[in-house]
Amino acid sequence: MELLAPAGGPEQLACALHFGADAVYLAGTRWGMRAGARNFTDEELAGAVEEAHAACAAVHVTLNTIMYDDDIDALPAYLDLLEQIGVDAAIVADLGAIGLLRRYAPHVAIHLSTQASCTNAAAAEAYARLGVSRIVLAREMAIGQIAELRRRIPAGLELEAFAHGSMCMAYSGRCLLSAEMTGGRRSAGHGSCTQPCRWAWRIVEDRTPDRTLDLVQDGRGSYLLSSNDLNMIAHLDDLAAAGVDAIKLEGRAKGAYYVGTITNAYRHVLDGESADDWAPELDLVSHRPYSTGFYYGEPTQNPGREDYARNRILVAVVDACEPAGGSWRAAVTCRNRAEAGVVTDVLSPHKPVRQAHLSCPLVRNGEPYTLALPFPVAPGDLVCVKVGQ
């Protein structure tokens, strides 16, 4: 299956490509569902396409927000840009946007966003007749339902499914709660969700408004609207057997360390390594309790703790490396403080996670340092430290 990784900005793009993504999905300054991410200017987008293609990876641009007439009016010029710079695919949900893509960007493949909630073969075939070449499946589908849809649709129509990351409590992400609670200023459908589902909630009964009902024992409030994170690294064979062509990692609002770590783990498993060996890596990035979502029938989107768990931090990114006698000298850029002597995890593509003691303290964020390592590394490799050392 194709591995599709998130790129919320240039640094995340570099990490996704470095750790083996077959394709990346990203957004410009408008029409993307992650308006709060770094995203890409038009000039940066052209550079991103060039960078990805040099790494033999495809670029999918998200255009999947709710679109009003002013959004549609501004779209043709942007689609012309996507055509000119060689974007591989656009992820869309709006029928008008699909029609404009065919007219203004005929060489850009059309992928139907999960926002369109496609859950059956008749809908998939209808979209295919409009020019859609890939269906990003609704997240509410079970494995068996995906297999049945695959059986009914033409062989050339591709299926993409989410495999990892944050999940929305609303049906296919179509939530009105953020807009309602901000007077319409922060709409989830326009990429500016305030994530009120992550807030602490209590139930109040109208007849006794002074009495609140907590649904957790510790009294901090209920997080009954906050979904668990999705984690399917141990079940990729099931997705493949159901006919999924591409798996998608959620995370365009996450940092480069998150993107690099999850892309690296899924790449290793897709390449045939044991999920048992790489699943622990996913516990070391910021995440909520994991689940398998809706894939196995009854949803496992049970409300859990409101805070994220994060058990490892990025402390440096490798810029260069050269031999130095019997060891190696790595030029790195500091990303977080760390004391000399702590044990680091070094993440490199196509290699197991390797450990080495930090040869010098890392003090100033953004400053260059030189580390002595017992093994070679490459530009883009990540040096991490487990929390609590």
Side-chain angles (χ1 to χ4, degrees), residues 25-339:
Y25 66 106
L26 47 81
T29 57
R30 190 172 175 183
W31 302 292
M33 288 295 290
R34 294 293 183 272
R38 164 67 169 74
N39 295 320
F40 293 79
T41 65
D42 291 355
E43 183 178 350
E44 289 172 338
L45 188 58
V49 172
E50 184 176 349
E51 182 180 354
H53 287 179
C56 299
V59 174
H60 305 176
V61 172
T62 62
L63 298 169
N64 56 347
T65 57
I66 293 173
M67 294 194 182
Y68 296 103
D69 281 324
D70 59 336
D71 298 303
I72 290 292
D73 290 344
L75 200 54
Y78 189 66
L79 297 181
D80 183 65
L81 170 70
L82 302 189
E83 174 80 5
Q84 295 304 317
I85 65 177
V87 165
D88 298 281
I91 305 170
V92 295
D94 184 87
L95 287 172
I98 291 175
L100 291 176
L101 264 164
R102 296 181 65 180
R103 178 178 177 184
Y104 292 97
H107 296 98
V108 177
I110 303 173
H111 293 179
L112 185 74
S113 172
T114 189
Q115 299 296 118
S117 306
C118 185
T119 58
N120 63 78
E125 290 179 339
Y127 281 113
R129 289 192 292 271
L130 295 176
V132 169
S133 61
R134 176 181 293 186
I135 305 294
V136 186
L137 296 164
R139 303 190 197 193
E140 294 76 24
M141 295 189 72
I143 291 282
Q145 293 170 325
I146 295 172
E148 178 62 15
L149 188 150
R150 172 77 274 171
R151 186 184 69 81
R152 292 172 178 242
I153 62 175
L157 182 57
E158 297 178 345
L159 298 180
E160 179 179 305
F162 280 88
H164 195 90
S166 295
M167 297 281 279
C168 180
M169 52 78 67
Y171 187 77
S172 288
R174 296 185 296 181
C175 183
L176 302 177
L177 191 57
S178 179
E180 172 66 23
M181 301 190 71
T182 61
R185 296 188 305 275
R186 298 287 300 275
S187 167
H190 277 83
S192 299
C193 186
T194 58
Q195 294 195 322
C197 59
R198 313 301 183 195
W199 304 350
W201 293 88
R202 293 180 178 179
I203 292 178
V204 177
E205 203 280 319
D206 281 348
R207 292 171 296 182
T208 53
D210 294 334
R211 180 190 179 199
T212 61
L213 304 176
D214 294 342
L215 299 185
V216 292
Q217 292 182 354
D218 59 12
R220 292 181 296 174
S222 170
Y223 295 84
L224 75 167
L225 299 180
S226 183
S227 299
N228 291 346
D229 282 1
L230 180 66
N231 181 344
M232 287 290 286
I233 197 166
H235 307 283
L236 298 184
D237 287 347
D238 288 349
L239 291 174
V244 170
D245 298 286
I247 59 167
K248 188 175 216 166
L249 311 179
E250 187 276 338
R252 282 192 295 131
K254 301 292 182 68
Y257 161 66
Y258 178 94
V259 172
T261 300
I262 63 170
T263 302
N264 190 41
Y266 277 86
R267 177 78 276 158
H268 278 273
V269 177
L270 284 172
D271 287 347
E273 297 183 35
S274 170
D276 291 340
D277 292 340
W278 287 97
E281 278 291 290
L282 304 179
D283 291 328
L284 299 176
V285 297
S286 178
H287 68 283
R288 299 180 189 87
Y290 285 129
S291 78
T292 54
F294 293 82
Y295 281 122
Y296 294 101
E298 290 297 319
T300 57
Q301 294 302 101
N302 301 317
R305 61 173 178 263
E306 77 284 4
D307 55 324
Y308 288 86
R310 184 180 66 174
N311 299 315
R312 190 173 66 190
I313 60 171
L314 174 68
V315 295
V317 177
V318 175
D319 299 315
C321 184
E322 61 182 12
S327 63
W328 299 80
R329 184 183 296 113
V332 303
T333 298
C334 175
R335 293 303 172 85
N336 280 293
R337 293 174 61 93
E339 300 299 325

Side-chain angles (χ1 to χ4, degrees), residues 315-321 329-335 358 360-362 364 366-373 377-378 381-383:
V315 295
V317 177
V318 175
D319 299 315
C321 184
R329 184 183 296 113
V332 303
T333 298
C334 175
R335 293 303 172 85
L358 195 61
C360 71
L362 302 176
R364 294 177 62 87
E367 290 293 313
Y369 289 85
T370 300
L371 303 181
L373 294 173
V377 289
D381 288 0
L382 304 181
V383 182

